[in-house]
Amino acid sequence: MSNDKDTFNVADLTSALNEDNRADLVNALKSKIQSLAGQHSDILESLSPNVRKRVEVLREIQGQHDELEAKFFEERAALEAKYQKLYQPLYTKRYEIVNGATEVEEGAVKETTPDGEEDQEKGVPAFWLTAMKNNEVLAEEISERDEGALKYLKDIKWSRIENPKGFKLEFFFDTNPYFINSVLTKTYHMIDEDEPILEKAIGTEIQWHPGKCLTQKILKKKPKKGSKNAKPITKTENCESFFNFFNPPQVPEDDEDIDEDAAEELQNQMEQDYDIGSTIRDKIIPHAVSWFTGEAIQGDEFGDLEDDEDDEDIEEDDDEEEEEDEDDDDDEDDEEESKTKKKKSGRAQLGDGQQGERPPECKQQ
Amino acid sequence: MSNDKDTFNVADLTSALNEDNRADLVNALKSKIQSLAGQHSDILESLSPNVRKRVEVLREIQGQHDELEAKFFEERAALEAKYQKLYQPLYTKRYEIVNGATEVEEGAVKETTPDGEEDQEKGVPAFWLTAMKNNEVLAEEISERDEGALKYLKDIKWSRIENPKGFKLEFFFDTNPYFINSVLTKTYHMIDEDEPILEKAIGTEIQWHPGKCLTQKILKKKPKKGSKNAKPITKTENCESFFNFFNPPQVPEDDEDIDEDAAEELQNQMEQDYDIGSTIRDKIIPHAVSWFTGEAIQGDEFGDLEDDEDDEDIEEDDDEEEEEDEDDDDDEDDEEESKTKKKKSGRAQLGDGQQGERPPECKQQ
């Protein structure tokens, strides 16, 4: 079962990664790859000459496949970029209406003039906050205290990054009493983009106005009677907040400091962090209006069952190239079924309401 | 925090799904959607007339976006189908060499003639077994007992299915002493293809030859002394086997029978089952030769770090359409970093070797 030949010490590599030293990392990888290359020769050498010859031809065929596949990845990325460009003017119109930069009239859009008649409410108040709160994954992250600050959110954008690969989320805020920054960013660096493997996540450090930090609460303790210092002792504690999203989980410098349970906990935190980021990228940004009105909720829960709009027309290419002895036992009736409703993201779905349970919120005291 | 307006009872829907009654399901969905449609009007009605007008225009813009997006999904599916077709001749060549239907000579492929000179070994023995055992996710599933049967695996194919959407894996087996079936299939029905939500998984029922079942072990107990029945008592117990993949986890008919812990356990089992299926589809089938030789192991672990072949060239479309007050505090230096290496699939990666730990194997006794 165990394949010792192909086992190598991931801990070595992890510690190289932790030192954030590109040269170390590259050296570690090089030596591993050299040893793997050796193993690869071993595997071929253990084969009889005839089988080895066949495997060499198979490797050429694999090479042809991989060249085609590289073209596929390229074309798919170009297709995605093409559509991202087509979406941009629509996102800009949305931004202008949401923030009151343009006014609508009889279904058409007109620009607001500073000296024209203005109504009391500018744009669509709390647009992004409402959209995010209607999404199950994000609603769990937003505390009541966060809502005050998230009302100042003017826009969210995302873009791909290259070298290293990944993507960046940008949160644009209006001037607000909570923090100085006008843009908060969150960047995900991926190792593998196709089946995404997260390398690290980076967030903007938030410059909170004094006493306005939403990610910490201040505990005041009465000093002990007879204590020399008569002032109350203040202690800050981290608390739940959407803005913790900009301070993502970190791996300790030395991975010997972390036991198995702590590693699993960290793993879960990083998964949740990635889940939030990809929800904002894939759901909130493209469909913010539908999340604001609540229309996206049913679409998210029941997918394509009622909605034929994004039916994908794929040519079924199901012809068998080999002749197989089809057995009569392969009827559909013979198949065992298991029925359930399940999200890949790992969020419990069985008998769960729309909103998951949360621990009690923390409030500034 | 909680958004009671948009909460609806998923348990009702789950029980409708469990009854496998399409009519019930559609009715349940219809009534939910009607109530949601009501809520949607509520949200719009709670807005001031001016804001409501703006939201109506935003909905038109969202509609334009969604039309574009539907075209994107269509084009992307067509692109994938185009490349799947291009891969087919290469997969056929691979099949023929692996199973000895054609012989290679000096790097070229020639057909074997039944009366020609044949070497002792036909094709590449244990090709698929070796490829699968070199993959971390699959190695954990394959017991020593399974290896005997998996040596008869001749090919694995996958294809998309429509109505319901999803995909099908087909495992083609040579005549073997373990089971009668020549093809074992596993089908995944998805609710949402873009962010995949699994609805159910279906596997072929395996027709084991007597005493050859790999998914059960037989326990023999000596009868009690003085017992009337002198024959030993035999008891069958389920055991670990790759072939359990064809008998996927099932949700109990009545979801009140399942408590929170059991639901989470089931959730994990279904995730693992999907992980195995998507590993076979996305990794083993397209890159079987590289998995056989072991070359794919490094590619899987370190992704694109050393391999420029599938670099995706995306035009960066990063120009800001709005004018934002860029703050000086937004420097890269201010960003907090968290470094780690993490798989989206949720498999622990920290300080873990290439092969995960497995519970002791079960053997037929």
Side-chain angles (χ1 to χ4, degrees), chain A residues 82-119:
Chain A
K82 179 183 111 181
Y83 274 92
Q84 285 300 328
K85 227 166 211 167
L86 291 171
Y87 301 150
Q88 284 313 316
L90 300 173
Y91 292 159
T92 304
K93 272 190 207 169
R94 179 176 71 187
Y95 171 85
E96 287 169 352
I97 294 169
V98 163
N99 295 288
T102 47
E103 192 48 274
V104 300
E105 197 181 16
E106 305 297 314
V109 175
K110 72 165 187 181
E111 238 168 278
T112 46
T113 46
D115 48 7
E117 269 180 277
E118 280 183 299
D119 49 79

Side-chain angles (χ1 to χ4, degrees), chain A residues 187-236:
Chain A
T187 309
Y188 292 93
H189 291 182
M190 313 304 287
I191 289 177
D192 182 336
E193 212 177 346
D194 208 38
E195 185 224 25
I197 299 175
L198 183 61
E199 191 190 345
K200 62 179 172 185
I202 308 163
T204 304
E205 195 182 320
I206 302 174
Q207 311 284 310
W208 298 103
H209 284 299
K212 286 292 190 176
C213 177
L214 295 167
T215 58
Q216 290 188 324
K217 59 181 175 182
I218 297 161
L219 297 170
K220 282 181 189 168
K221 278 185 184 173
K222 280 184 187 172
K224 278 177 191 169
K225 275 182 185 175
S227 164
K228 283 184 183 177
N229 193 347
K231 284 179 187 171
I233 301 154
T234 58
K235 209 181 140 189
T236 57

Side-chain angles (χ1 to χ4, degrees), chain B residues 188-255:
Chain B
Y188 291 93
H189 291 182
M190 312 305 287
I191 289 177
D192 182 336
E193 213 178 345
D194 207 38
E195 185 224 26
I197 299 175
L198 183 61
E199 191 190 344
K200 62 179 172 184
I202 308 163
T204 305
E205 194 182 321
I206 302 174
Q207 311 284 310
W208 298 103
H209 284 298
K212 286 292 190 177
C213 177
L214 294 167
T215 58
Q216 290 188 325
K217 59 181 175 182
I218 297 160
L219 297 170
K220 281 181 188 168
K221 278 185 184 172
K222 280 184 186 171
K224 279 178 192 168
K225 275 183 185 175
S227 164
K228 282 184 181 177
N229 193 348
K231 284 180 188 171
I233 301 154
T234 59
K235 209 180 141 189
T236 57
E237 260 186 24
N238 295 334
C239 71
E240 290 198 353
S241 164
F242 173 76
F243 292 94
N244 286 320
F245 180 63
F246 299 99
N247 184 13
Q250 297 188 37
V251 175
E253 286 299 306
D254 189 347
D255 69 356

